[in-house]
Amino acid sequence: MSDAAEGQEMWVQVAGTGSRKAPLPRTEELTAQAIGRALAQSGAGLVTCGWNGVDKAATMAFAGELQALGLPLSTRLKQIVPRPDEPSFFGGDVVYVEKGVPEWVESVRRAQAVILIGGISGTYKTYQTARNEQVPVFPLPSTGGDAKKAFDEIMADFEGSGLYRRVTRAQLAALDTPIATREAADDVAERLLDLVTEELSGRRPVTATDRPKGPRERKSASKTKPERIDFLLVTALPEERDALLRRLPGFERVVPRKDDVHVYFRAALPVADGSGSYRIVVLPLLGMGRVNAATATSEAIKRWRPRHVVLVGIAGGVAARSVSLGDLLISEQVVDYELQKLTEQGIEVRWSVHKASRRLYAAALNVLGDAWTTSLTVPRPGEGAPRIHLGPIASGDKVVAVERVLTEYRSVWPTMIGVEMEAAGVASACFAAARQPEFFMVRGVSDLADEHKNTPRVQEFRAYACDVAASYTVELLKSHPIPFLKSK
């Protein structure tokens, strides 16, 4: 166990490619600088071995950020340097040790976590030392070298490594992201620091001599900083959730928190072109309807900061638009019919419209091939194959099982293809969020919103419709519909 352990502050070692002569590769330089800035902003202390290369790049960025914040460097930086060498960066607390084993052991012992960037042999020794000392290691595989080697070893035997108490295999796998720009590096560093903080949140306090100094409010903010994901997938029914999870390999249930009653499942989904993986969280709602959907989605957005929210499940189709049982509905927009005015002439619907994500809608129009249909696992209750329909979908709290109601709605929205109960709530939560994620919806047709809704024949299509929606959604995401990183 490391000498430094968990408390209000943390010490993190950054290790990687070190060279006295050759310039640092661009990917490693960007990554080291981003991590240095992120550590300074988080209130953490930095441990390095004082080498030119990754150590220096991280330290200079760390020191520059502290200077901008008006904070001293002396209590936040430790450089463990073998005699008779001198650190490549002048500053902080320099601890001289003997060459060989002590330079690896002493640096790791002063850290609660170790981050690996690249490396060409010495970095792998840092990894081995951290494993021996049971200090959690966070290698960034896209930087190559020893970091990639360590990452592959950990992923091959995640449980056997014994390095992690809170962070999951899927969370660590999500760090395998290309880094080619400063924006990409900053995004990876931010997610990485979230994982380090989560992992260390159950360890004992650091010793008084090793505790870094910094403003309490900044460190407190870093501890409660929400994680960022690519997609929040929302389901209203257990069978919708199960159909989706079957297609997310290695999904894991998220450890519950005191401030959130909802259950979440997390997964990393690789895209088909092999260029990376999306970070995905599945949110099963506590019940049907707009209010449940809006409340739960709002809480999930605050916690996970998704870039896109996708509602996945079943809906009623509109037979007048040639929609059949088992077909697929893709929402171009959601039309909320719940706000109504009661007049002597009858009910007057005050329609509220929510547009779907243009990017995901464009991607949905261009999903090539039939992989999503060939991967269906639930047998179709009859002949035929699912067809895709695009258009507006009505949303409200009422279960529509009367064709007359659909006829009235279609008088206003003649191209309406379906009706369901949660989209208006989910879309409203996206619109009301400070960081507004984009909304999208994919639905399988389980009934035709008429008087036959609950007949045995129609009920046979329920599981199949869930499977259709889940299969298409996963294939859509695997087609790499959005960039891995959001531009700043």
Side-chain angles (χ1 to χ4, degrees):
M1 174 65 71
S2 166
D3 279 354
E6 222 280 328
Q8 289 298 311
E9 303 93 359
M10 59 185 178
W11 286 95
V12 177
Q13 180 179 3
V14 175
T17 304
S19 174
R20 301 298 183 189
K21 297 179 181 179
L24 193 62
R26 183 61 174 164
T27 295
E28 297 171 44
E29 181 181 29
L30 288 171
T31 305
Q33 291 171 343
I35 290 173
R37 290 190 296 270
L39 286 171
Q41 294 166 2
S42 73
L46 173 63
V47 179
T48 78
C49 288
W51 278 83
N52 192 39
V54 164
D55 291 10
K56 184 175 181 179
T59 303
M60 290 183 67
F62 181 81
E65 191 67 22
L66 287 182
Q67 184 177 24
L69 295 170
L71 299 173
L73 179 65
S74 59
T75 57
R76 296 276 297 276
L77 172 66
K78 289 184 182 295
Q79 300 190 81
I80 314 303
V81 181
R83 298 186 182 91
D85 295 342
E86 292 293 335
S88 59
F89 177 87
F90 182 81
D93 180 15
V94 180
V95 179
Y96 292 96
V97 297
E98 297 302 317
K99 275 188 177 293
V101 174
E103 61 185 293
W104 280 281
V105 173
E106 291 303 319
S107 59
V108 169
R109 286 181 64 240
R110 285 169 168 79
Q112 299 163 262
V114 175
I115 296 172
L116 304 181
I117 303 171
I120 50 175
S121 71
T123 305
Y124 187 74
K125 291 181 181 178
T126 300
Y127 160 65
Q128 291 177 311
T129 304
R131 287 197 65 153
N132 292 338
E133 297 293 322
Q134 284 295 283
V135 175
V137 183
F138 296 86
L140 295 174
S142 62
T143 60
D146 291 346
K148 179 66 164 64
K149 182 179 178 181
F151 179 84
D152 290 343
E153 283 190 17
I154 292 171
M155 297 306 290
D157 186 22
F158 184 83
E159 298 296 334
S161 72
L163 292 174
Y164 311 97
R165 301 181 184 181
R166 294 171 178 259
V167 168
T168 66
R169 188 180 189 277
Q171 285 177 290
L172 199 65
L175 294 177
D176 190 2
T177 302
I179 301 172
T181 64
R182 172 168 173 160
E183 290 77 13
D186 285 339
D187 185 85
V188 169
E190 183 177 4
R191 287 189 282 120
L192 175 59
L193 263 292
D194 285 342
L195 291 189
V196 172
T197 302
E198 180 176 345
E199 174 61 28
L200 299 182
S201 61
R203 299 175 184 265
R204 64 182 175 84
V206 295
T207 61
T209 56
D210 279 335
R211 181 176 290 118
K213 311 301 181 189
R216 292 280 174 183
E217 57 273 15
R218 175 170 294 276
K219 290 172 284 193
S220 176
S222 72
K223 276 195 167 297
T224 59
K225 189 176 188 178
E227 183 176 339
R228 177 184 295 173
I229 61 172
D230 296 299
F231 293 99
L232 175 69
L233 306 183
V234 182
T235 62
L237 301 170
E239 54 263 52
E240 297 170 344
R241 173 204 63 203
D242 295 345
L244 199 53
L245 292 179
R246 283 197 299 268
R247 287 176 164 76
L248 297 176
F251 75 85
E252 297 170 322
R253 181 168 173 160
V254 177
V255 176
R257 288 193 341 191
K258 291 181 179 180
D259 61 347
D260 193 343
V261 300
H262 296 94
V263 173
Y264 301 96
F265 298 88
R266 176 169 26 210
L269 182 66
V271 297
D273 61 18
S275 58
S277 299
Y278 288 128
R279 305 176 299 281
I280 292 175
V281 166
V282 176
L283 164 65
L285 300 178
L286 298 178
M288 297 188 300
R290 296 160 67 253
V291 175
N292 275 325
T295 302
T297 304
S298 178
E299 291 298 318
I301 290 173
K302 292 177 184 176
R303 176 168 178 178
W304 300 103
R305 295 189 301 162
R307 297 164 58 194
H308 291 76
V309 176
V310 183
L311 183 58
V312 185
I314 57 178
V318 178
R321 294 293 298 173
S322 300
V323 176
S324 301
L325 295 173
D327 283 355
L328 184 80
L329 307 181
I330 296 177
S331 175
E332 177 189 28
Q333 56 188 340
V334 172
V335 291
D336 184 351
Y337 61 78
E338 274 302 324
L339 184 59
Q340 301 177 355
K341 179 180 180 181
L342 302 179
T343 70
E344 293 182 357
Q345 290 74 34
I347 296 175
E348 179 184 315
V349 177
R350 301 288 183 86
W351 298 96
S352 178
V353 179
H354 304 279
K355 288 284 189 180
S357 165
R358 296 295 90 187
R359 185 185 289 274
L360 289 184
Y361 187 72
L365 293 176
N366 293 281
V367 173
L368 304 178
D370 59 355
W372 74 274
T373 58
T374 58
S375 66
L376 292 173
T377 58
V378 177
R380 183 180 175 87
E383 296 182 357
R387 294 174 300 158
I388 298 177
H389 303 270
L390 310 168
I393 296 179
S395 182
D397 283 328
K398 300 172 182 64
V399 177
V400 178
V402 182
E403 189 173 359
R404 175 181 56 80
V405 175
L406 284 183
T407 301
E408 292 179 7
Y409 291 168
R410 288 186 61 244
S411 67
V412 180
W413 298 94
T415 59
M416 187 172 68
I417 58 174
V419 59
E420 59 81 73
M421 300 177 62
E422 290 79 34
V426 173
S428 295
C430 293
F431 179 76
R435 285 174 173 246
Q436 295 181 352
E438 295 189 37
F439 167 80
F440 197 64
M441 177 166 63
V442 177
R443 294 286 197 178
V445 179
S446 60
D447 62 81
L448 297 177
D450 57 17
E451 61 273 16
H452 303 296
K453 178 180 176 70
N454 294 317
T455 61
R457 170 61 178 162
V458 173
Q459 287 291 305
E460 288 179 351
F461 273 88
R462 191 177 179 91
Y464 179 77
C466 290
D467 200 38
V468 164
S471 178
Y472 184 87
T473 300
V474 172
E475 287 301 322
L476 172 63
L477 301 190
K478 288 168 67 176
S479 72
H480 199 169
I482 66 171
F484 283 115
L485 300 171
K486 183 177 180 181
S487 298
K488 292 191 175 181

